[in-house]
Amino acid sequence: QVNVLESGGGLVQAGDSLRLSCEASGSTVRTVAMAWFRQAPGKEREFVASIRWIGKGVNYANSVEGRFTISRELTRNKIYLQMNSLQPDDTAVYYCALQRVGSGSYDSWGQGTRVTVSS
């Protein structure tokens, strides 16, 4: 079993920056990748960014590329999401997810951390 815990959300103004953290614990030895997703009010959850555990390949949604940076800390099973130039459209609950070997998808999820960007 893997436990995933996000932190770092809050209320900021447009143009501000925020850094989210996510820590995985439990059966994390077979981690393939971790990622951030978000769900805005009234919308479906969408992919934000991902990072692989081997090779450090990263991917970003078009809407955040150039503004957000995903990074990892392997020894602590942590990832981060540095969010710069935040806009009201970035307002959402941000979820961290983990994918393990043998799983075709992200199968461990956190409870989410809320980010609100005021104009």
Side-chain angles (χ1 to χ4, degrees):
Q1 182 179 354
V2 177
N3 297 309
V4 178
L5 182 64
E6 307 96 335
S7 62
L11 172 63
V12 297
Q13 293 185 333
D16 285 351
S17 298
L18 204 59
R19 189 193 195 208
L20 304 183
S21 299
C22 171
E23 183 170 10
S25 60
S27 301
T28 61
V29 293
R30 295 166 60 83
T31 299
V32 172
M34 292 184 71
W36 290 98
F37 291 75
R38 67 185 182 185
Q39 186 167 17
K43 296 186 178 180
E44 294 188 353
R45 187 161 57 189
E46 64 176 2
F47 169 80
V48 175
S50 66
I51 187 165
R52 298 192 66 81
W53 239 230
I54 298 176
K56 205 181 178 183
V58 298
N59 284 293
Y60 295 96
N62 290 337
S63 58
V64 306
E65 190 154 19
R67 299 188 298 124
F68 291 10
T69 302
I70 189 171
S71 60
R72 68 183 186 190
E73 195 173 352
L74 285 176
T75 58
R76 298 178 63 187
N77 293 312
K78 294 187 74 169
I79 64 169
Y80 305 93
L81 187 67
Q82 177 66 43
M83 305 185 294
N84 298 329
S85 302
L86 283 162
Q87 299 301 316
D89 283 349
D90 295 316
T91 294
V93 176
Y94 284 72
Y95 296 91
C96 178
L98 182 147
Q99 181 183 11
R100 290 178 288 180
V101 172
S103 174
S105 63
Y106 292 94
D107 53 6
S108 298
W109 293 80
Q111 295 298 308
T113 185
R114 185 175 300 275
V115 173
T116 303
V117 185
S118 63
S119 57

